Amino acid sequence: LAKTTQPISMDSYEGQEVNITCSHNNIATNDYITWYQQFPSQGPRFIIQGYKTKVTNEVASLFIPADRKSSTLSLPRVSLSDTAVYYCLVGDRVSGSARQLTFGSGTQLTVLP
Amino acid sequence: DTAVSQTPKYLVTQMGNDKSIKCEQNLGHDTMYWYKQDSKKFLKIMFSYNNKELIINETVPNRFSPKSPDKAHLNLHINSLELGDSAVYFCASSPNILTGNTGELFFGEGSRLTVL
């Protein structure tokens, strides 16, 4: 099981770039890295997924080093509405394993004005 | 259109009662899930169904019984409610966990259960 470790909380200011790092030292060859965002009173929402190097979409970028033992979610120019909990999830994309579908405690990002 | 919808959104009940939470998805997905989120924000999977078949059944008390009448619906029935059952329960779906899951789970908005 590729257990993940993230900072419990982070603060940032509007307009700054925010980088949240997730450690997953025991990541397996078939594992992908997926990030979710959760606002209060809502379910988590998919942000981005990657396997190696860099992935970018309209919301964020995901940087994965060659050894894949960590990953960094990068949010460009955050706004107050980006205040949320961010979860890193590591697992095989095809899975019957509950362990690969269990989220950690996430990182509470607070964006300040 | 809400992709994954669950009812009720809030549920307050007494210990010992039986309650149900319903979930429906209109995404055409084959796989549905129930998650429990505790006060520390951990999201723990409880059950998963793929095309109405139970494929993941975590260490959950027998008081919790899921039912999937068809692949678009997954309900959760809880008997003899206890204080520790208070949490937010999330339903989710994905294309097909066993063959082609993209890794993206689509979650409902959650059902907050409070047991008094």
Side-chain angles (χ1 to χ4, degrees):
Chain A
L1 171 65
K3 181 181 174 180
T4 60
T5 303
Q6 304 174 230
I8 294 174
S9 64
M10 292 180 70
D11 288 345
S12 181
Y13 289 96
E14 279 192 290
Q16 288 187 333
E17 177 184 78
V18 171
N19 296 310
I20 306 173
T21 296
C22 178
S23 297
H24 28 80
N25 290 320
N26 297 324
I27 190 168
T29 303
N30 293 333
D31 285 346
Y32 279 71
I33 301 153
T34 311
W35 285 80
Y36 287 81
Q37 174 191 56
Q38 185 180 25
F39 296 114
S41 302
Q42 293 187 24
R45 186 180 70 169
F46 174 90
I47 303 174
I48 197 165
Q49 183 183 76
Y51 183 80
K52 61 180 179 180
T53 62
K54 177 183 173 182
V55 179
T56 298
N57 61 22
E58 63 277 5
V59 176
S61 293
L62 179 58
F63 298 92
I64 305 167
D67 65 7
R68 304 199 329 122
K69 292 182 185 246
S70 67
S71 58
T72 300
L73 174 73
S74 182
L75 304 171
R77 296 180 300 281
V78 293
S79 63
L80 295 177
S81 62
D82 291 318
T83 293
V85 178
Y86 292 82
Y87 293 95
C88 162
L89 185 65
V90 174
D92 199 322
R93 296 210 305 185
V94 177
S95 171
S97 167
R99 293 177 299 172
Q100 294 184 343
L101 294 165
T102 295
F103 291 62
S105 58
T107 298
Q108 171 67 58
L109 171 66
T110 302
V111 180
L112 304 168
Chain B
D1 268 352
T2 303
V4 181
S5 58
Q6 26 181 138
T7 55
K9 190 164 183 168
Y10 299 97
L11 193 51
V12 180
T13 189
Q14 300 284 338
M15 278 177 56
N17 285 348
D18 303 340
K19 290 294 177 187
S20 292
I21 307 172
K22 296 185 176 182
C23 180
E24 175 181 4
Q25 55 96 3
N26 62 6
L27 297 168
H29 289 164
D30 290 335
T31 309
M32 295 186 72
Y33 313 78
W34 276 112
Y35 275 84
K36 178 180 181 181
Q37 186 169 44
D38 61 23
S39 57
K40 293 184 178 179
K41 301 296 185 183
F42 281 99
L43 269 163
K44 190 175 185 335
I45 189 163
M46 302 170 69
F47 304 102
S48 177
Y49 273 73
N50 192 68
N51 279 317
K52 301 192 296 175
E53 279 192 43
L54 180 66
I55 56 167
I56 292 175
N57 185 359
E58 275 299 270
T59 308
V60 176
N62 292 336
R63 300 181 293 101
F64 290 79
S65 53
K67 276 191 182 169
S68 183
D70 55 64
K71 74 174 192 177
H73 295 84
L74 180 61
N75 304 323
L76 182 65
H77 188 75
I78 316 170
N79 289 326
S80 304
L81 279 157
E82 300 177 359
L83 294 177
D85 298 331
S86 294
V88 182
Y89 293 84
F90 286 98
C91 177
S93 73
S94 68
N96 190 303
I97 193 176
L98 297 179
T99 64
N101 186 3
T102 63
E104 181 173 354
L105 299 171
F106 292 78
F107 283 83
E109 297 215 331
S111 297
R112 181 175 293 276
L113 171 66
T114 303
V115 182
L116 303 174

